[in-house]
Amino acid sequence: MGCALASPGGGPEVGVEPEPLSAEQKRLVRDSWAALHRDIGHIGVIVFIRLLETHPECKDAFFHFRDVADLEELRSSRELQAHGLRVMSFIEKTVARLGEPEQLRQLMWDLGQSHHRYGAPPRYYQYVEEQFLQAARDMLDQKWTEEVEAAWKSLFRYLVAVMKLGYAASEEGGED
């Protein structure tokens, strides 16, 4: 069973943290990320183009390219490319911190708070997860197994839970 979550500085329980990844799940995430990392910029663009195709309402959260109507134009947008690369770099930081639970948790908490400032509500986090998993599945092809997918889903479950807590704390006016 998961442990109760509170803000990094302590405070009341606000949710239940999903189980941490097993050693094998961490290995699967690290190994698959090593393969995905080779084309990190391309994956970021794919994730966000698919996100905006499937959930066009998400475009409102992106100041730099919210007014670009054509998806082909968006595909070549420097702002979209930069954002996709930032998100993929964040996933890289996450993978690097799999063995450092407190640092990983703080990173996600802070990301949730910054998403509040940017006006990107928590319901969007799952959309990004769905598109990342699809892009990873497509790129890894035969190397994408049920076990790899389960490991990534477990990681995202944890990340999203902590991001939501950081978002809620920002919404309530508490930075940490």
Side-chain angles (χ1 to χ4, degrees), residues 47-67:
V47 167
F48 281 92
I49 290 295
R50 287 181 179 174
L51 173 71
L52 298 174
E53 285 175 335
T54 57
H55 300 283
E57 72 276 12
C58 293
K59 199 160 42 160
D60 291 338
F62 299 102
F63 177 76
H64 292 291
F65 51 87
R66 73 171 57 144
D67 295 328

Side-chain angles (χ1 to χ4, degrees), residues 21-70:
L21 274 65
S22 68
E24 176 63 8
Q25 287 176 315
K26 289 177 186 178
R27 185 192 66 75
L28 290 168
V29 166
R30 286 182 182 120
D31 290 353
S32 56
W33 178 251
L36 292 168
H37 186 265
R38 292 182 217 141
D39 210 0
I40 192 172
H42 183 65
I43 294 170
V45 170
I46 289 170
V47 167
F48 281 92
I49 290 295
R50 287 181 179 174
L51 173 71
L52 298 174
E53 285 175 335
T54 57
H55 300 283
E57 72 276 12
C58 293
K59 199 160 42 160
D60 291 338
F62 299 102
F63 177 76
H64 292 291
F65 51 87
R66 73 171 57 144
D67 295 328
V68 179
D70 179 36

Side-chain angles (χ1 to χ4, degrees), residues 3 21 32 37 40 77 103 124 143 146 150 155 170 175:
C3 61
L21 274 65
S32 56
H37 186 265
I40 192 172
S77 161
Q103 290 85 352
Y124 292 176
K143 294 177 185 174
E146 288 179 20
L155 178 59
S170 250
E175 287 297 310

Side-chain angles (χ1 to χ4, degrees), residues 17-18 101 104-105 108 154-163:
E17 184 173 324
L104 176 59
R105 190 171 185 287
M108 299 319 301
S154 291
L155 178 59
F156 271 103
R157 202 168 21 254
Y158 175 78
L159 302 178
V160 167
V162 177
M163 282 179 68

